């Protein structure tokens, strides 16, 4: 059961309207790193989690994300107030109106004309919100890591939005939202590390022949080494053209076919085989004038032949 408190979680004060800034704010309203995506991600995870503590945490944070969605949507609406009234009442000449709502140098006119200045569920480029933003897989150790990364990405977007405005009230509200991303990261990390063991994700162990191997697949004058590929926990293996398959096999793919499938496959392979000999003339070559000269009256590389007089 949900109930809506008419007061925002954090007080929003906007000093002046700015439709261009409003459009950029939509990134955190209907974008992939936005508040709706976060709320849906954590809410669906909570529904499927069997640990009562994590379930409560996920429900709490998903509900808070909805309150953040309300804050961002309110900021968008307030930044659009001036243009919304002018557009609805037509108090300016058409040309001047267009210059006003596109003056920020971005596509803010999309939110003005299509949505009347309200906060639509799109990102700053006008792309509609999609459930494809939700990457839950149903394994707590994997989902919590994804949640930590999602909160980190959202924090970075808030930092960039803060740097785009000098409105003190907007900066203050965005700083609050950015800070809450930090708090959520901490909660998710604590929940992850309270699962023992939590790595690798899932139940099955990896193949011990390869779990501690670092394959150097690129080559430079100096191999840069660090804790990600050196030390007692790593076996550093350079891979060259002379290196064989790491499993000791010949590296060739094989498949066992049934007696019914084998002849049909061979028939298809023979029918679709490319001939290695010859040099067939192509339409591209004809168009470039590279084909052989054709007889009089034929359509040659330089166009149709002119009729003889």
């Amino acid at each position: 059961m949900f109930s809506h408190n008419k007061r925002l979680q954090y007080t929003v004060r906007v000093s002046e309207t700015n439709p261009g800034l409003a459009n950029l704010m939509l990134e955190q309203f209907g974008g992939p790193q936005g508040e709706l995506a976060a709320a849906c991600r954590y809410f669906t995870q909570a529904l499927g989690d069997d640990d009562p503590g994590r379930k409560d945490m996920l429900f709490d944070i998903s509900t808070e994300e909805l309150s953040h969605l309300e804050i961002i949507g309110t900021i968008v609406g307030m930044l659009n107030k001036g243009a919304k009234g002018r557009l609805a009442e037509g108090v300016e000449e058409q040309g001047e109106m267009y210059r006003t709502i596109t003056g920020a140098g971005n596509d803010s006119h999309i939110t003005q004309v299509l949505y009347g200045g309200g906060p639509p569920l799109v990102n700053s480029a006008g792309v509609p919100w999609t459930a494809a933003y939700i990457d839950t897989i149903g394994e707590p150790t994997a989902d919590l890591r994804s949640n930590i990364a999602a909160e980190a990405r959202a924090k970075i977007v808030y930092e960039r939005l803060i740097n785009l405005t000098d409105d003190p009230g907007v900066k203050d509200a965005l700083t609050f939202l950015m800070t809450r991303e930090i708090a959520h990261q901490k909660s998710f990390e604590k929940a992850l590390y309270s699962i023992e063991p939590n790595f690798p994700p899932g139940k099955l162990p990896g193949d011990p022949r390869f779990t501690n191997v670092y394959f150097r697949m690129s080559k430079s004058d100096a191999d840069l080494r660090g804790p990600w590929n050196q030390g007692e926990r790593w076996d550093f293996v350079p891979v060259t053209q002379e290196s064989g398959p790491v499993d000791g096999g010949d590296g060739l793919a094989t498949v066992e076919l049934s007696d019914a499938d084998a002849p049909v496959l061979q028939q298809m392979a023979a029918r679709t085989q490319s001939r290695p000999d010859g040099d067939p003339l192509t339409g591209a070559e004809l168009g470039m004038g590279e084909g052989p000269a054709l007889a009089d009256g034929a359509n040659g590389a330089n166009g149709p032949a002119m009729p003889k007089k």
Side-chain angles (χ1 to χ4, degrees):
M1 178 184 295
F2 291 87
S3 61
H4 178 252
N5 187 323
K6 291 182 173 57
R7 292 180 295 176
L8 296 173
Q9 184 189 19
Y10 195 85
T11 304
V12 173
R13 300 178 179 87
V14 176
S15 300
E16 60 181 358
T17 60
N18 186 335
L21 181 60
N23 193 71
L24 295 173
M25 294 290 174
L26 287 175
E27 200 61 39
Q28 289 302 86
F29 192 74
Q33 321 303 336
E35 301 295 351
L36 180 61
C40 291
R41 179 185 295 113
Y42 309 148
F43 184 78
T44 52
Q45 288 177 13
L47 293 173
D49 203 311
D50 295 315
D51 182 89
R54 284 199 308 270
K55 182 184 287 285
D56 279 353
M57 176 195 68
L58 289 164
F59 273 136
D60 286 340
I61 295 179
S62 67
T63 304
E64 183 180 357
E65 301 291 16
L66 287 176
S67 73
H68 295 175
L69 183 73
E70 184 179 26
I71 292 173
I72 282 291
T74 300
I75 293 174
V76 171
M78 296 174 76
L79 288 171
N80 276 329
K81 285 295 185 184
K84 179 179 181 180
R86 293 195 304 271
L87 185 66
E89 299 304 314
V91 296
E92 294 175 340
E93 295 293 332
Q94 289 90 339
E96 180 60 30
M97 174 64 72
Y98 185 77
R99 284 190 293 272
T100 300
I101 64 177
T102 59
N106 57 40
D107 289 335
S108 61
H109 61 283
I110 293 176
T111 56
Q112 303 302 311
V113 175
L114 294 184
Y115 305 109
L121 282 174
V122 300
N123 69 2
S124 59
V127 179
W129 188 91
T130 170
Y133 295 154
I134 312 305
D135 57 2
T136 297
I137 200 170
E139 161 58 45
T141 59
D143 286 337
L144 287 169
R145 284 185 170 89
S146 178
N147 296 352
I148 293 166
E151 295 288 329
R153 291 191 297 269
K155 178 184 183 292
I156 296 303
V157 175
Y158 275 126
E159 284 189 16
R160 293 171 180 172
L161 290 173
I162 289 170
N163 291 333
L164 291 173
T165 179
D166 56 3
D167 187 315
V170 174
K171 291 175 78 78
D172 182 58
L174 293 179
T175 299
F176 166 76
L177 296 173
M178 180 198 70
T179 304
R180 293 305 298 159
E181 309 295 347
I182 299 172
H184 294 167
Q185 286 182 68
K186 290 171 59 178
S187 292
F188 289 139
E189 265 202 282
K190 293 290 187 181
L192 172 63
Y193 295 135
S194 67
I195 302 173
E196 297 180 357
N198 61 65
F199 186 84
K203 182 178 180 180
L204 296 177
D207 187 330
R209 295 178 299 168
F210 308 119
T211 51
N212 297 318
V213 177
Y214 182 93
F215 291 115
R216 189 204 63 182
M217 307 296 288
S218 60
K219 186 177 181 180
S220 61
D221 294 336
D223 286 323
L224 297 179
R225 305 292 298 274
W228 56 86
N229 64 8
Q230 72 177 359
E232 296 180 355
R233 295 182 176 88
W234 287 112
D235 182 13
F236 186 83
V237 178
V239 177
T240 65
Q241 290 185 343
E242 293 74 27
S243 301
V246 297
D247 63 337
D250 58 12
L252 301 177
T254 59
V255 58
E256 295 292 334
L257 296 173
S258 68
D259 293 339
D261 287 340
V264 177
L265 181 64
Q266 292 172 359
Q267 177 181 330
M268 183 203 70
R271 179 176 59 82
T272 59
Q273 183 178 11
S274 295
R275 290 176 50 188
D277 58 331
D279 185 12
L281 186 65
T282 67
E285 290 167 329
L286 287 172
M288 295 169 63
E290 296 180 359
L294 300 180
D296 288 344
N299 291 338
N302 293 322
M306 297 299 292
K308 292 182 178 180
K309 294 182 179 178

